[in-house]
């Protein structure tokens, strides 16, 4: 049975454009995968903890040497990794904050990337240990960072998320850049007109 893991990031609830496009994707995906399961991890409602001393001590100890405090600090990391490994498709919907990922998404990434669990270091260099899922990234931004835009290179979020996913083994990543939400804010385009072509792209990614 197909499984979709949806990671939502924006704190703006139903008003969030990245969540709306993610919902379009999820509905199309569900229609195309009868009986498939959709699991949502809402990082605005379930804000991940930060990596701390107990987390580090546990992550760099053998399982048999981990204390109860180490294990407890790693529990969220274990859950996040298990969710990603169980998915066929991982959908991340996120706004751009200061040209990068919002802090809650960075905290999720810090739980996902774990030496010996989701990546290994050997004589041949680094190896991602997650195999199977593909990923889709939907990113909203006030500005337009699309191909050919004069500020395309300001987008540090897209290459970073692709790099991180590839680092843990998820190399097939599709990106839907949904820029120019400032156009809606300043009345240059209606939300409906802005969303229409992006909804179509989300649908085609969901059924690809
Ligand atoms: C704290 C903060 C930082 C932001 N930084 C950027 C930025 O660097 N570049 C940009 O184009 N838009 C930036 N924005 C605008 C959001 O990316 C934009 O409003 C986006 O559409 C929000 O997505 P959402 O509707 O899913 O919440 C920022 C917004 C906030 C609240």
């Amino acid at each position: 049975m197909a499984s979709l893991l949806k990671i939502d990031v924006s704190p703006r609830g139903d008003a969030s454009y990245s969540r709306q496009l993610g919902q379009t994707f999820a509905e199309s995906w569900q229609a195309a995968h009868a009986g498939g399961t959709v699991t949502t991890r809402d990082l605005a409602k379930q804000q991940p903890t930060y990596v701390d001393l107990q987390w580090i001590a546990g992550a760099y100890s053998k399982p048999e040497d981990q204390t109860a405090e180490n294990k407890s600090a790693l529990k969220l990391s274990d859950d996040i990794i298990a969710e990603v490994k169980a998915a066929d498709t991982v959908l991340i919907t996120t706004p751009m904050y200061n040209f990068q990922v919002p802090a809650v998404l960075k905290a999720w990434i810090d739980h996902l990337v774990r030496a010996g669990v989701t990546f290994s270091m050997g004589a041949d260099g680094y190896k991602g240990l997650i195999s199977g899922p593909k990923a889709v990234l939907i990113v909203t931004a006030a500005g337009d960072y699309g191909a050919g835009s004069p500020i395309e290179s300001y987008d540090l979020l897209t290459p970073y998320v692709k790099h991180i996913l590839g680092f843990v083994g998820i190399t097939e990543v599709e990106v839907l850049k949904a820029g120019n939400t400032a156009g809606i804010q300043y009345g240059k385009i209606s939300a409906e007109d802005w969303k229409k072509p992006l909804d179509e792209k989300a649908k085609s990614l969901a059924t690809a």
Side-chain angles (χ1 to χ4, degrees):
M1 199 164 59
S3 57
L4 170 68
L5 173 64
K6 182 157 71 76
I7 309 295
D8 286 328
V9 174
S10 173
R12 297 193 329 110
D14 291 344
S16 155
Y17 298 119
S18 54
R19 282 174 186 260
Q20 289 172 23
L21 294 171
Q23 194 54 34
T24 300
F25 180 100
E27 283 165 15
S28 290
W29 185 92
Q30 189 91 75
H33 299 84
T37 58
V38 180
T39 305
T40 300
R41 182 172 278 274
D42 186 332
L43 300 184
K45 289 196 179 131
Q46 305 165 267
Q47 294 199 350
T49 50
Y50 297 154
V51 163
D52 61 10
L53 184 57
Q54 294 297 343
W55 192 104
I56 296 166
Y60 292 95
S61 300
K62 290 184 195 138
E64 60 269 29
D65 295 332
Q66 288 171 348
T67 66
E69 288 81 7
N70 297 160
K71 287 195 170 94
S72 163
L74 289 172
K75 169 80 173 62
L76 179 59
S77 173
D78 293 339
D79 291 350
I80 282 172
I81 291 167
E83 281 172 3
V84 170
K85 282 187 166 175
D88 296 307
T89 302
V90 178
L91 168 66
I92 300 174
T93 79
T94 184
M96 175 188 289
Y97 282 178
N98 302 311
F99 310 110
Q100 252 297 358
V101 293
V104 288
L105 181 53
K106 178 58 164 59
W108 179 85
I109 287 168
D110 286 346
H111 284 290
L112 175 69
V113 182
R114 224 165 105 191
V117 181
T118 55
F119 76 95
S120 64
M121 293 166 288
D124 301 337
Y126 292 114
K127 190 173 167 230
L129 299 178
I130 299 180
S131 63
K134 61 179 184 180
V136 176
L137 170 68
I138 295 178
V139 49
T140 47
D144 178 4
Y145 304 85
S149 157
I151 55 166
E152 186 184 355
S153 66
Y154 284 41
D155 174 9
L156 306 178
L157 184 159
T158 305
Y160 174 65
V161 171
K162 285 177 83 168
H163 177 80
I164 282 291
L165 292 172
F167 186 69
V168 296
I170 304 172
T171 50
E172 199 184 329
V173 184
E174 297 286 352
V175 179
L176 174 49
K177 283 194 185 190
N180 190 30
T181 61
I184 308 171
Q185 199 182 341
Y186 295 112
K188 301 229 187 297
I189 187 168
S190 70
E192 206 176 43
D193 286 349
W194 177 85
K195 251 189 99 196
K196 215 171 176 182
L198 296 166
D199 269 338
E200 291 312 313
K201 281 188 195 161
K203 283 180 195 167
S204 74
L205 286 174
T207 50

